[in-house]
C-alpha cells in the first residue's frame, strides 16, 4: 500500500461543471436553465437545441465528467490520498446545491472545488463562484451548518494539463498526409467571449487588452508550439482563434472565428491545419459541433486537410495534476512552504481570487474568494 498523502484540512473534493442534457426531453429545460433571466423564447431555444438533437439530445459532458471522476478516484487510491470526490453541475443534474446538501449531510466541513475550466474569465471562474454562493445561501436558508469552500487555482499551465495536449497535436500532425504535414498550420482554439469580459479577466492590475484570458491561452499555445518544434524539428506557424460565439451581433467578441480563420489560411495557401482546442477540458458539445461538425464542414468545402487534436479529458496525467494541486493547496493552508508547479512565462496563479477579479455585469456574491461572504 502507498504511504498516505495528507490533504488536511480538506475532507472532500467537489468536481464542479457545466452540465448537459442526457436525452431529447432534457434539451429545452437544460437550455432554459442556461439562459434563465435573459428572456429567450422557447422557440428560439428549440432552434439552438438542434446542436444537441443531432447527437440524440445527449451532451457528452456528463459521461466525460463521470470518466474524470473515475480517473481521479483511481489515481487517489493508487497514491494513498484518502479524499472522497463528489460531483455537482451548474445547469443540470446532479445540481450543485443538491450535491452540497449531500456533502453537508456526510459531514464534509472543508471542501476543495475543481472547476472544469482551466482559465480565468467570468464564465470560467467567477460565475462558478457565484453559483457556489447561491448554493451556500440555499443551505443557509435550510438551516444547515455551512462548510468552508475553497477553489483550486487555474491549472492551464500545469504540466499534467499541457503535456496531453502536446501529444494530441503531435498525433494530429502525424495523421496528415506526408506532402502537407510539414507545412501545416496550428489553430489553437478556445471559447470566444465578449471582449469586455476578456479585458477584465483576472486580477484588476492585469485588466485591459484581452486580460488574463487571452494571455493565459497565448502562453499555453506557445508552450505547445515550442514543444512540437523541439520534438519534430519543424516550426509550424500558429495562431490563437476562437469558436462557439453566442452573443448578440452588435457586441464585440474575441476574433477570428475558426471557420473564418480556415478560409483565410486556405486563401493564403496553407496546405493543412491542425485544430487544437486548448480552451476545453473535454470533448463536449462545443468541440463536437463547432469543430468536428461546422469547422470540419468548412474545411471540406475548401478542400483543406484538417485534423482535430484531442482534449485532456480523463487522461491519467491530468488526474495526477489535480492530485498535485490538492496537496499543494493543502500544504499552503497548513502554513507550509510550497513551490507551485507551473510551465511557461506566467507562473502559478493565485490560490484565492482577489477583489475585482473577473467581474460580472452586475455585482453578485461569490464564494471561495477574497470578497466571499462565506469565509
Amino acid at each position: 500500500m502507498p504511504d498516505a498523502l495528507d490533504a488536511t484540512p480538506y475532507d472532500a473534493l467537489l468536481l464542479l461543471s457545466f452540465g448537459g442534457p442526457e436525452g431529447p426531453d432534457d434539451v429545452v429545460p437544460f437550455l432554459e436553465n442556461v439562459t434563465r433571466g435573459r428572456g429567450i423564447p422557447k422557440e428560439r431555444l428549440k432552434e439552438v437545441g438542434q446542436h444537441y438533437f443531432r447527437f440524440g439530445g445527449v451532451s457528452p459532458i456528463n459521461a466525460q465528467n463521470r470518466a474524470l471522476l473515475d480517473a481521479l478516484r483511481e489515481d487517489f487510491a493508487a497514491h494513498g490520498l484518502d479524499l472522497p470526490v463528489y460531483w455537482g453541475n451548474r445547469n443540470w443534474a446532479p445540481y450543485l446545491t443538491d450535491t452540497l446538501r449531500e456533502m453537508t449531510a456526510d459531514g464534509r466541513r472543508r471542501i476543495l472545488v475543481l472547476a472544469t475550466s482551466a482559465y480565468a474569465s467570468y464564465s470560467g471562474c467567477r460565475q462558478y463562484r457565484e453559483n457556489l454562493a447561491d448554493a451556500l445561501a440555499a443551505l443557509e436558508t435550510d438551516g444547515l451548518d455551512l462548510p468552508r469552500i475553497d477553489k483550486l487555482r487555474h491549472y492551464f499551465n500545469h504540466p499534467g494539463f499541457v503535456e496531453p495536449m502536446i501529444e494530441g497535436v503531435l498525433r494530429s500532425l502525424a495523421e496528415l498526409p506526408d506532402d502537407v504535414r510539414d507545412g501545416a498550420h496550428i489553430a489553437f482554439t478556445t471559447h470566444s467571449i465578449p471582449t469586455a469580459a476578456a479585458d477584465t479577466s483576472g486580477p484588476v492590475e492585469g485588466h485591459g487588452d484581452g486580460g488574463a484570458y487571452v494571455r493565459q491561452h497565448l502562453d499555453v499555445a506557445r508552450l505547445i508550439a515550442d514543444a512540437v518544434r523541439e520534438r519534430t524539428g519543424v516550426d509550424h506557424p500558429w495562431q490563437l482563434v476562437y469558436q462557439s460565439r453566442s452573443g448578440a451581433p452588435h457586441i464585440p467578441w474575441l476574433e477570428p472565428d475558426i471557420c473564418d480563420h480556415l478560409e483565410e489560411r486556405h486563401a493564403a495557401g496553407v496546405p493543412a491545419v491542425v485544430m487544437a482546442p486548448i480552451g476545453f477540458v473535454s470533448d463536449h458539445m462545443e468541440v463536437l459541433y463547432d469543430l468536428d461538425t461546422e469547422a470540419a464542414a468548412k474545411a471540406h468545402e475548401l478542400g483543406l486537410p484538417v485534423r482535430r487534436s484531442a482534449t485532456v479529458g480523463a487522461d491519467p496525467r491530468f488526474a495526477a495534476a489535480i492530485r498535485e494541486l490538492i496537496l499543494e493547496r493543502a500544504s499552503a493552508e497548513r502554513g507550509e512552504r510550497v513551490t507551485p508547479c507551473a510551465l511557461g512565462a506566467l507562473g502559478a496563479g493565485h490560490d484565492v481570487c482577489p477583489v475585482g477579479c473577473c467581474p460580472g455585469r452586475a455585482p453578485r456574491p461569490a464564494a471561495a474568494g477574497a470578497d466571499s461572504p462565506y469565509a
Side-chain angles (χ1 to χ4, degrees):
M1 293 291 292
D3 294 334
L5 298 177
D6 189 6
T8 308
Y10 297 107
D11 56 16
L13 177 71
L14 168 62
L15 176 66
L16 178 56
S17 194
F18 192 82
E22 301 207 70
D25 292 341
D26 297 344
V27 172
V28 172
F30 162 74
L31 292 173
E32 287 175 334
N33 287 343
V34 174
T35 61
R36 181 167 285 115
R38 301 183 200 173
I40 299 177
K42 182 170 285 191
E43 291 306 311
R44 174 57 181 153
L45 294 180
K46 289 179 180 178
E47 293 176 21
V48 174
Q50 293 306 315
H51 293 187
Y52 292 93
F53 292 130
R54 288 176 66 105
F55 297 91
V58 178
S59 168
I61 193 170
N62 285 344
Q64 290 161 4
N65 280 327
R66 293 184 184 102
L68 179 56
L69 287 167
D70 289 343
L72 291 169
R73 289 165 178 154
E74 182 178 343
D75 178 272
F76 292 0
H79 292 86
L81 178 58
D82 184 15
L83 191 70
V85 185
Y86 295 75
W87 172 32
N89 287 326
R90 173 189 293 173
N91 296 302
W92 202 248
Y95 288 103
L96 170 59
T97 302
D98 295 335
T99 300
L100 281 181
R101 286 195 183 100
E102 176 189 359
M103 297 177 81
T104 301
D106 289 346
R108 309 306 175 192
R109 308 306 306 150
R110 286 294 302 271
I111 297 169
L112 198 51
V113 173
L114 163 65
T116 54
S117 176
Y119 301 86
S121 70
Y122 171 75
S123 57
C125 184
R126 173 85 190 190
Q127 191 171 11
Y128 281 115
R129 293 177 49 225
E130 292 176 353
N131 299 147
L132 286 166
D134 290 343
L136 288 170
L139 267 61
E140 192 171 37
T141 299
D142 292 344
L144 300 175
D145 291 333
L146 301 186
R148 175 172 166 180
I149 295 179
D150 294 326
K151 180 178 174 292
L152 284 174
R153 66 176 173 89
H154 299 300
Y155 46 83
F156 65 93
N157 56 2
H158 194 286
F161 186 68
V162 175
E163 182 60 34
M165 293 191 292
I166 294 171
E167 290 191 1
V169 172
L170 290 170
R171 283 194 298 270
S172 292
L173 286 167
E175 292 170 1
L176 286 169
D178 293 346
D179 59 337
V180 300
R181 183 179 305 125
D182 286 354
H185 176 102
I186 305 173
F188 294 105
T189 77
T190 190
H191 209 301
S192 184
I193 61 175
T195 56
D199 291 347
T200 56
S201 58
V204 172
E205 61 270 18
H207 288 180
D209 196 22
Y213 187 75
V214 172
R215 285 195 300 276
Q216 290 171 358
H217 282 87
L218 287 174
D219 202 42
V220 172
R222 290 189 191 98
L223 283 167
I224 297 172
D226 288 349
V228 168
R229 183 182 64 251
E230 291 167 5
R231 300 182 195 186
T232 65
V234 179
D235 190 6
H236 291 274
W238 62 271
Q239 186 171 339
L240 178 64
V241 302
Y242 302 93
Q243 61 175 91
S244 311
R245 175 183 172 137
S246 59
H250 68 279
I251 298 175
W253 282 51
L254 293 174
E255 296 178 336
D257 176 77
I258 178 61
C259 290
D260 295 337
H261 180 69
L262 292 176
E263 288 187 336
E264 189 272 332
R265 290 292 81 200
H266 178 257
V270 167
V273 172
V274 167
M275 301 183 293
I278 62 173
F280 305 91
V281 170
S282 63
D283 287 6
H284 50 64
M285 189 57 69
E286 283 86 352
V287 176
L288 289 187
Y289 186 81
D290 297 328
L291 293 184
D292 294 353
T293 304
E294 282 195 332
K298 173 58 68 175
H300 180 74
E301 172 191 321
L302 297 169
L304 177 67
V306 295
R307 297 293 185 274
R308 196 267 291 173
S309 66
T311 53
V312 172
D315 190 289
R317 289 165 293 187
F318 182 44
I322 299 308
R323 167 173 40 85
E324 292 170 6
L325 288 167
I326 291 167
L327 297 174
E328 171 193 300
R329 180 64 181 273
S331 295
E333 288 294 309
R334 295 194 299 265
E336 299 168 6
R337 187 171 181 176
V338 175
T339 302
C341 185
L343 301 174
L346 299 180
H350 47 258
D351 278 337
V352 179
C353 292
V355 175
C357 192
C358 303
R361 286 171 292 184
R364 287 184 57 196
D371 55 355
S372 172
Y374 301 101

